[in-house]
Amino acid sequence: MNLVKKLLTRRDPRTQFIPLYNSVVQTARQPWWYAEAGVPDTLDGRFDMIAAVLSLLLIRLEAEGNPGLEPVARLTEIFIDDMDGQLRQIGIGDVVVGKQIGRMISAVGGRLTAYREAMSSDEGLEPALIRNLWRGEPGPDAKPAMVAEAMLALAARLAETDWPTLRAQGLPTA
């Protein structure tokens, strides 16, 4: 009987990572990014900011090696669930949601690669941010250098924070 009860009450393995994902969203939705740094305060801009912050976290978790594999997978699954819910909430129907989610996942994968490469290159993070946050066309309010500085500071705080602390407390704040 205990085995059946265990199987029926099996916990979703993503549950433990939801607070960490929520801290990603909370960081990406800080008004500063939009009001001060000029990230577009649009659906696309907010998605791009979540993708940028999530990418920094995933890059940090890759540094954990094998122990980081499960958190990367679970956080990606939570992101997919969140985006699915967001699309449905704004009225996107079942027929289109799958395609949109596929595009979003592809976009996050591209951004992850772009930010990973940019942080280790002499060119720096700013060109990748211009391509991804401003879609190559920063307007007069855009401050890519300011965003790059803040993103690099976040990446440094992430690198200084051990995995158990990240999991327990979420993204470190300034």
Side-chain angles (χ1 to χ4, degrees), residues 98-118:
K99 283 184 179 182
Q100 291 287 41
I101 292 295
R103 287 186 193 127
M104 289 175 156
I105 294 304
S106 178
V108 169
R111 283 157 175 78
L112 180 59
T113 299
Y115 296 140
R116 184 187 304 113
E117 290 173 359

Side-chain angles (χ1 to χ4, degrees), residues 3-174:
L3 178 61
V4 171
K5 187 176 181 180
K6 268 187 178 179
L7 290 173
L8 292 177
T9 59
R10 191 169 157 204
R11 219 173 128 205
D12 185 340
R14 296 176 291 190
T15 302
Q16 64 181 317
F17 301 106
I18 290 173
L20 180 56
Y21 177 77
N22 288 341
S23 76
V24 167
V25 173
Q26 182 180 17
T27 299
R29 288 191 174 166
Q30 290 177 357
W32 179 87
W33 297 112
Y34 309 95
E36 303 295 322
V39 172
D41 193 5
T42 61
L43 285 174
D44 285 343
R46 287 173 181 250
F47 167 80
D48 292 334
M49 222 30 247
I50 291 170
V53 174
L54 180 61
S55 292
L56 293 183
L57 176 58
L58 297 180
I59 291 166
R60 164 60 185 86
L61 291 173
E62 289 172 352
E64 291 291 317
N66 282 340
L69 294 177
E70 181 184 5
V72 166
R74 300 300 179 211
L75 287 163
T76 302
E77 291 169 352
I78 295 166
F79 170 78
I80 292 167
D81 288 348
D82 182 29
M83 293 302 112
D84 182 273
Q86 297 297 325
L87 289 172
R88 291 176 192 281
Q89 192 172 35
I90 62 172
I92 306 289
D94 288 340
V95 175
V96 180
V97 167
K99 283 184 179 182
Q100 291 287 41
I101 292 295
R103 287 186 193 127
M104 289 175 156
I105 294 304
S106 178
V108 169
R111 283 157 175 78
L112 180 59
T113 299
Y115 296 140
R116 184 187 304 113
E117 290 173 359
M119 289 193 310
S120 64
S121 79
D122 293 336
E123 198 173 83
L125 196 52
E126 198 172 327
L129 291 169
I130 290 171
R131 279 191 314 274
N132 293 299
L133 292 180
W134 289 280
R135 310 285 169 108
E137 299 179 23
D141 297 331
K143 296 182 178 101
M146 185 183 288
V147 174
E149 183 179 326
M151 295 292 284
L152 290 171
L154 176 57
R157 288 191 307 275
L158 285 167
E160 295 168 356
T161 307
D162 62 68
W163 168 232
T165 303
L166 274 175
R167 184 173 42 205
Q169 297 177 10
L171 268 58
T173 56

